Amino acid sequence: MNNQYYGQFGGQYVSEDIKKALDELDIEYEKALKDEGFVSEFQRLLKDFVGRPTPLTFAKNLSDYYGHNIYLKREDLNHTGAHKINNSLGQILLAKRMGKKKIIAETGAGQHGVATATVAALLGLECEIYMGAVDIERQKLNVFRMELLGAKVVPVTEGLQTLSEAVTVAIRTWVSEIDKSFYCLGSAVGPYPYPKIVKEFQSVIGTEAKEQIKQYGHADIIIACVGGGSNAIGIFSGFLDDESVEIYGIEAGGKGVDTKLHAATMTKGKVGIIHGMKTIVLQEDDGEISEVYSISAGLDYPGVGPEHSYLKEIKRVKYDAITDDEAMEALRLLSKKEGIIPAIESAHALAYLEKLCPTLKGKKNIIVNVSGRGDKDMHTIFSSFNM
Ligand SMILES: *Cc1c(COP(=O)(O)O)cnc(C)c1O
């Protein structure tokens, strides 16, 4: 059997019937990766539908400002505005290859739901998106987008009525109709084999960036934001083998890691179980999973992908947190200096330049992954600058 762990992290902390479904998924996934037809169809659609490769942009004005060479990996230029479509495309092609008729997915802010509904429309599959009732209220525009794309948005009214409960109900539904349904998971989290699958489909970011940076020299530093960790593991995958590259994962510090209002799993979390995996989890003294907060909807997750927990443990990647205010300042800076309005998630990675650059000796080549564009966040950005 394949190794389901990254060091002590990962695994399948789920019931027997879910395990069976996951094992079947793993076998079918491994077969698909060896199928040239599958791989070339994935690559064709990444190019013709998603718009890849995304550019690596030399940010001249930002580079002058910080005194280092800053390069931006432009996932914001993907169709639907972020990296999430890479993964949705891969998984839904896999679903189709497995003969499934219906795609099930969870969504928090709606970004993964929109990416999934988009690809389901393209490939002609039925699509059901589970979303907390509270999130549905907060993200009306994305709910409408999904419906326009032909998906059914199902409100989840259990617990806090947000992402965590949506995941639980989506998995339950998937397992109850396993013959026709495929569960499309949105980040590098959950039970094995999902972290492996999501990493593979997002590794296109790192593969491209590694090739693109060559024209400028050697990459010294990589920075990406971490929610569940899919855009981060995607770009990191191109550089993990090269020990001379320093790698940073940046989480949401919210109102500050010493308040209760943050999602800084790596800074404040402890080893635990969440959504079928063993990983670092933000939890209370009694082990109950903490409520998390961030100004960016994509980063407020109380766990993190298991490979990130491992990369932290072996000290290959350094993790840190950036507050709401620091992220919004970086968002404003990039917009003004480079004409690029990033997603608030991505602004957390950009904000780390402010902390890191003054500590560096000699001029460095730094790649920041711009995981998405700010269009979806205009309302939040407007409110935050006009309080
Ligand atoms: C969802 C999202 C994230 C966070 O998810 P990861 O799995 O950690 O990448 C980051 N940036 C954007 C733009 C997103 O939409």
Side-chain angles (χ1 to χ4, degrees):
M1 195 168 65
N2 292 315
N3 184 12
Q4 304 183 341
Y5 285 85
Y6 306 88
Q8 63 162 316
F9 302 106
Q12 294 180 330
Y13 294 80
V14 293
S15 62
E16 280 307 317
D17 52 343
I18 299 180
K19 238 181 217 160
K20 229 178 104 218
L22 293 166
D23 289 346
E24 185 205 328
L25 172 64
D26 193 24
I27 290 165
E28 292 299 323
Y29 162 78
E30 292 293 344
K31 274 193 213 155
L33 273 200
K34 292 190 188 84
D35 174 354
E36 247 171 67
F38 174 84
V39 174
S40 67
E41 181 69 348
F42 180 48
Q43 281 164 354
R44 181 182 74 80
L45 288 171
L46 281 177
K47 177 166 170 280
D48 298 341
F49 186 69
V50 176
R52 303 202 71 93
T54 60
L56 184 74
T57 304
F58 174 57
K60 182 171 186 308
N61 300 328
L62 203 64
S63 298
D64 289 346
Y65 181 79
Y66 282 121
H68 296 280
N69 297 321
I70 316 287
Y71 302 90
L72 307 173
K73 183 58 177 157
R74 301 292 305 281
E75 293 303 294
D76 58 310
L77 293 179
N78 284 326
H79 180 42
T80 69
H83 67 290
K84 286 199 171 75
I85 189 115
N86 304 325
N87 171 54
S88 293
L89 179 62
Q91 286 195 41
I92 296 174
L93 280 172
L94 178 60
K96 206 157 178 173
R97 190 178 184 279
M98 290 169 73
K100 307 285 183 180
K101 300 278 178 267
K102 177 173 155 189
I103 302 301
I104 291 176
E106 82 294 339
T107 198
Q111 293 309 114
H112 174 56
V114 169
T116 300
T118 298
V119 179
L122 173 75
L123 298 177
L125 295 176
E126 192 189 332
C127 182
E128 217 167 65
I129 306 291
Y130 288 79
M131 192 167 181
V134 170
D135 287 336
I136 288 183
E137 203 45 48
R138 283 195 290 218
Q139 304 287 343
K140 286 203 175 110
L141 204 56
N142 271 341
V143 172
F144 179 63
R145 274 197 188 104
M146 288 181 263
E147 287 171 352
L148 196 58
L149 292 159
K152 185 175 159 204
V153 179
V154 184
V156 173
T157 54
E158 300 177 14
L160 295 171
Q161 313 191 15
T162 58
L163 178 64
S164 253
E165 294 81 16
V167 172
T168 308
V169 178
I171 292 180
R172 197 192 299 150
T173 311
W174 171 51
V175 173
S176 75
E177 47 183 54
I178 190 82
D179 287 342
K180 68 164 182 171
S181 295
F182 183 98
Y183 180 40
C184 180
L185 185 47
S187 189
V189 299
Y192 177 89
Y194 278 107
K196 174 179 77 173
I197 293 176
V198 176
K199 178 189 186 181
E200 171 63 34
F201 292 146
Q202 291 293 3
S203 67
V204 62
I205 307 172
T207 305
E208 287 176 6
K210 184 180 173 175
E211 202 47 44
Q212 290 166 321
I213 193 69
K214 280 183 186 159
Q215 61 182 303
Y216 304 107
H218 177 265
D220 298 305
I221 295 168
I222 311 292
I223 309 174
C225 67
V226 176
S230 70
N231 86 89
I233 205 70
I235 191 162
F236 293 176
S237 69
F239 302 92
L240 282 168
D241 287 348
D242 182 349
E243 291 289 334
S244 67
V245 183
E246 277 182 49
I247 305 181
Y248 294 88
I250 308 303
E251 293 188 309
K255 303 283 187 201
V257 295
D258 294 323
T259 71
K260 284 207 141 275
L261 298 174
H262 64 79
T265 307
M266 292 298 201
T267 308
K268 289 287 182 173
K270 292 190 300 260
V271 177
I273 310 278
I274 183 171
H275 295 137
M277 60 179 161
K278 184 173 180 187
T279 190
I280 299 175
V281 182
L282 276 171
Q283 49 196 300
E284 303 301 313
D285 292 337
D286 63 2
E288 192 175 334
I289 291 164
S290 304
E291 258 184 72
V292 287
Y293 161 84
S294 165
I295 190 170
S296 69
L299 298 184
D300 63 351
Y301 184 62
V304 65
E307 190 171 1
H308 286 290
S309 295
Y310 174 66
L311 291 169
K312 175 183 157 73
E313 193 168 76
I314 64 169
K315 299 192 166 67
R316 176 63 187 96
V317 177
K318 296 191 185 89
Y319 294 86
D320 205 340
I322 282 292
T323 64
D324 287 359
D325 289 349
E326 291 168 330
M328 296 314 281
E329 204 43 56
L331 185 146
R332 195 193 281 259
L333 188 72
L334 189 74
S335 303
K336 272 194 188 158
K337 289 228 174 269
E338 298 291 343
I340 299 169
I341 303 175
I344 303 178
E345 291 86 355
S346 320
H348 285 71
L350 290 156
Y352 198 64
L353 290 168
E354 194 80 28
K355 275 195 184 174
L356 185 66
C357 287
T359 71
L360 300 172
K361 293 188 187 70
K363 199 167 191 167
K364 304 289 188 192
N365 290 332
I366 306 176
I367 303 178
V368 183
N369 199 28
V370 181
S371 54
R373 56 180 177 243
D375 302 33
K376 69 181 177 65
D377 295 324
M378 270 314 141
H379 188 78
T380 311
I381 298 168
F382 181 84
S383 310
S384 113
F385 290 149
N386 290 282
M387 283 210 308

